[in-house]
Amino acid sequence: FETLTRMFALLEAQKLVIDSFRADGSSYQFDIVNLVSDKVKTFYLRAVMSGALAQSIALIDNWEKIILGGETAYRGEVALYPVYQYRTKEKTKTQIKKA
């Protein structure tokens, strides 16, 4: 969290705007999701498959066929709210823009 906070501050000081951000599963934390969602337009974070995620994926009805590295893949979007903050023992939701 601290490293990302410093990074975003340095980029803002240079008047650089980040359109999209991609991170691995270690970034799938409440504080990081909140920080990144305030700093970039679109972000992609790897998430561990869970029941809530599987249910959300099942709701996707706008699959788009795309080619990635010569292979066919499908991309879809759905609103997803899987991140909770447990430290305060409150289930405070944070909105993830797209999954």
Side-chain angles (χ1 to χ4, degrees), residues 22-50:
R22 180 177 155 205
D24 64 16
S26 65
S27 296
Y28 189 68
Q29 300 172 41
F30 184 83
D31 293 337
I32 292 175
V33 170
N34 279 338
L35 172 68
V36 172
S37 67
D38 287 340
K39 302 294 183 181
V40 303
K41 178 181 175 184
T42 304
F43 63 95
Y44 307 90
L45 301 177
R46 180 179 297 165
V48 175
M49 182 58 75
S50 67

Side-chain angles (χ1 to χ4, degrees), residues 10-72:
L10 290 168
L11 292 169
E12 288 173 358
Q14 296 297 316
K15 297 187 180 357
L16 295 172
V17 178
I18 301 170
D19 185 58
S20 61
F21 178 84
R22 180 177 155 205
D24 64 16
S26 65
S27 296
Y28 189 68
Q29 300 172 41
F30 184 83
D31 293 337
I32 292 175
V33 170
N34 279 338
L35 172 68
V36 172
S37 67
D38 287 340
K39 302 294 183 181
V40 303
K41 178 181 175 184
T42 304
F43 63 95
Y44 307 90
L45 301 177
R46 180 179 297 165
V48 175
M49 182 58 75
S50 67
L53 180 56
Q55 288 176 343
S56 294
I57 291 170
L59 296 175
I60 297 173
D61 61 1
N62 59 341
W63 293 104
E64 173 187 359
K65 184 177 178 180
I66 60 172
I67 305 298
L68 295 173
E71 295 186 24
T72 301

